[in-house]
């Protein structure tokens, strides 16, 4: 999860090659996040992007101080966060992971079904992961207000077993 005031922008999925490059999967549509000079925040500190190029739907990124495959491999799975881009990340209708986590999920009749623990990327639709492990595709979201998401789901999807 991103820190206070930060947005989750991607994740390092693996090392690439022998010179310390990494593959980054962006969850942001803002490619400026991996532009040379960008600073990404992680649980191990800040990483500065030296170079990047697109690669099979992801990005090959060179990070300052990451000079060999072993150093790159040590970053595998690392969550990347960054401050909002002024004027770009302030779309009032946009859904941001950090705003969804912690929200109560309810159906239109007011029945509460849990709290969003995380959001999982999925090619068809991102998934709300509830605190009990149930998954709700984000495409079923029909309304939102402070701290509450209203979802209209097919019968049986949120039934307790």
């Amino acid at each position: 999860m991103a820190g206070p005031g930060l947005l989750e922008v991607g994740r390092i999925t693996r090392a690439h090659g022998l010179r310390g490059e990494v593959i980054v999967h962006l969850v942001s549509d803002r490619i400026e996040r991996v532009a040379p000079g960008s600073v990404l925040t992680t649980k191990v500190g800040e990483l500065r992007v030296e170079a990047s190029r697109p690669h099979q739907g992801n990005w090959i990124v060179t990070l300052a101080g990451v000079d060999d495959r072993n150093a790159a491999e040590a970053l595998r799975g690392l969550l990347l966060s960054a401050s909002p881009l002024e004027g770009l990340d302030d779309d009032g209708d946009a859904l941001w992971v950090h705003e969804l986590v912690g929200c109560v999920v309810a159906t239109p009749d007011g029945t509460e079904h849990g709290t969003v623990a995380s959001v999982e990327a999925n090619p068809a639709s991102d998934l709300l992961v509830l605190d009990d492990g149930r998954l709700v595709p984000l495409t079923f979201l029909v309304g939102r207000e402070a701290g509450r998401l209203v979802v209209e789901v097919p019968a049986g999807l949120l039934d307790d077993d």
Side-chain angles (χ1 to χ4, degrees), residues 14-22 68-70 72:
R14 62 182 176 87
H16 178 80
L18 301 175
R19 292 185 236 147
E21 294 176 314
V22 295
D68 62 29
R69 184 169 184 90
N70 289 337

Side-chain angles (χ1 to χ4, degrees), residues 20-76:
E21 294 176 314
V22 295
I23 300 291
V24 171
H25 174 73
L26 284 181
V27 294
S28 168
D29 61 354
R30 307 307 311 185
I31 61 173
E32 299 93 331
R33 296 303 192 175
V34 290
S38 297
V39 176
L40 300 168
T41 302
T42 73
K43 68 180 181 182
V44 298
E46 291 186 340
L47 299 172
R48 187 176 48 79
V49 176
E50 289 189 340
S52 65
R53 63 189 184 276
H55 176 72
Q56 299 177 351
N58 292 307
W59 291 84
I60 296 175
V61 178
T62 303
L63 299 166
V66 181
D67 300 323
D68 62 29
R69 184 169 184 90
N70 289 337
E73 195 61 45
L75 301 175
R76 178 189 291 260

Side-chain angles (χ1 to χ4, degrees), residues 120-151:
E120 187 175 306
N122 185 11
S125 171
D126 287 347
L127 301 169
L128 299 172
V129 180
L130 301 186
D131 50 0
D132 62 3
R134 290 181 291 174
L135 303 174
V136 179
L138 202 51
T139 56
F140 295 134
L141 181 68
V142 295
R144 64 182 172 143
E145 50 198 58
R148 188 177 181 87
L149 303 174
V150 179
V151 295

Side-chain angles (χ1 to χ4, degrees), residues 81-134:
S81 302
S83 298
L85 292 171
E86 203 166 303
L88 296 177
D89 289 338
D90 57 2
D91 179 359
D93 292 331
L95 295 173
W96 299 104
V97 171
H98 71 282
E99 294 174 340
L100 299 175
V101 172
C103 286
V104 172
V105 174
T107 48
D109 67 3
T111 305
E112 294 183 358
H113 294 278
T115 303
V116 178
S118 64
V119 178
E120 187 175 306
N122 185 11
S125 171
D126 287 347
L127 301 169
L128 299 172
V129 180
L130 301 186
D131 50 0
D132 62 3
R134 290 181 291 174

